[in-house]
Amino acid sequence: MALSIIPAGILRRVIGPPRPCLLTRQNVRCFTVLALESSADDTCAAIVNSDREIVSNVVVKQHSFHEQFGGIHPMHAIWAHQRHMPGAVRKALHDAGMTMNSIDGIAYTRGPGMAGCLSVCSNAAKTLAAATSKPIVGVHHMQAHALMPLLTTPDISFPFLTLLISGGHTLLLLARSWRSFQTLATTPDESIGNAFDKVSKMLKIPWGKLGPGAALEQYCLNDYDQQLPEIIPPLPSGQPGKLAFSYSGLHSGVERYIAVRNGDLDDPTKLALARAFQTAAVGQLEEKLLLALHWCRQNGVVIRDIIVSGGVASNKFLRRRLEFACRDFKFDDAAVRLVSPPQELCTDNAVMIGWASMDRFLAQDYDEYEIETRPKWDIQELQ
Ligand code: KG4
Ligand code: ZN
């Protein structure tokens, strides 16, 4: 399934002047990457090229399977990746109408992520590469989320602010280049995605095919056609006034509210609580984003774009609220723009891994086949 075909040539505008990649007899031809991702609960394979084409994109989700465990079960996730990865690679090649002969390099998620899960895409990528004598690049998963919109929105320029909100991370970064990221805010406890997942589980919202966070967003859209009976008291906000996140207090606030009622909530109260949680979770992002914009202004950093990416960024309520929060902030009289990848490229996928590997492949900066995975990996180390 080709997701989208993006006009050729724009990549060079994004990553600078062309550098020799594969020299054919006539000229330089575009570089084609097979990318693999399995850092959490999605098994992904995709083919992307340096002409900015998403040639194929396969995502095998495990949500419905993990629902019975109330979260990602590590061993079952590894086993599912082992079952799905060969088929995902075969389908990515089939959908692209390609064989391994047409692939120039193989990219995979090196970290951060769940150790056992990472080893599936890492071993698959390295073994395929060794058998076919292709170069490999191991990619930082959060760097890939941050750079995804550079493929889909061509006129983004550095430096930009990026808010990366996923199951494992809540990061607010200043990106100065493809590999230079400065952490302005992170969470010492829980990620926003984890809080969404736990609250979704506490409220017993069925995940269906959506997964816990998206199911909670969907649930909040319900209208019971009646006044909500009870006003939910304000839920704790994380580290107010500080450039730092915290989501454990918010999730515990919801837990306490349910516990004092012995878990017995009628539907309208449950809906009011879900909405109060979602509003408070997003409210914390709004506050920190504005603090970061002020920090940039005070430090003479002019920002034109804010990139919001990662699974939680597919939440439409959140995107609208963040756009509204930043609408009046200006640098030199120019407004800042909020950019997110299309919904299906916000959540985990291998397109972003292939795309983030591209500047290294084009610079012939490959990894050794022996490199190890990095389950914990600070994005600032990339520089
Ligand atoms: O980036 P991602 O797909 O995987 C990780 O790298 O962790 O993010 C997954 C997280 C999960 O916590 C999931 O429940 C959450 O993103 N998520 C959402 C939505 N869609 C996915 N959270 C809130 N609203 C959504 N629409
Ligand atoms: Zn992710």
Side-chain angles (χ1 to χ4, degrees), residues 329-347:
F329 204 96
K330 294 199 168 59
F331 286 92
D332 307 331
D333 285 338
V336 286
R337 178 177 60 161
L338 205 87
V339 186
S340 283
Q343 208 163 346
E344 67 279 9
L345 297 177
C346 268
T347 45

Side-chain angles (χ1 to χ4, degrees), residues 98-160:
M98 289 179 172
T99 64
M100 282 305 291
N101 292 336
S102 330
I103 300 298
D104 300 315
I106 302 178
Y108 68 96
T109 306
R110 187 179 173 199
M114 298 166 79
C117 293
L118 286 170
S119 70
V120 178
C121 64
S122 163
N123 288 348
K126 291 187 200 177
T127 307
L128 268 173
T132 53
S133 302
K134 314 274 182 199
I136 55 161
V137 166
V139 173
H140 191 292
H141 183 88
M142 300 314 287
Q143 177 201 20
H145 273 305
L147 297 176
M148 186 69 257
L150 270 63
L151 187 151
T152 49
T153 309
D155 60 338
I156 294 171
S157 54
F158 292 100
F160 56 78

Side-chain angles (χ1 to χ4, degrees), residues 141 145 166-168 193-194 196-197 212-214 217 310-312 314-315 346-348:
H141 183 88
H145 273 305
S166 68
N194 201 24
F196 261 94
D197 295 352
E217 179 190 11
V312 186
S314 57
N315 185 303
C346 268
T347 45
D348 285 353

Side-chain angles (χ1 to χ4, degrees), residues 190 195 198-199 202 247-256 277:
E190 202 169 298
K198 285 190 174 152
V199 170
M202 280 187 260
Y247 278 95
S248 59
L250 176 55
H251 133 228
S252 312
V254 175
E255 198 166 32
R256 271 194 305 278
F277 163 76

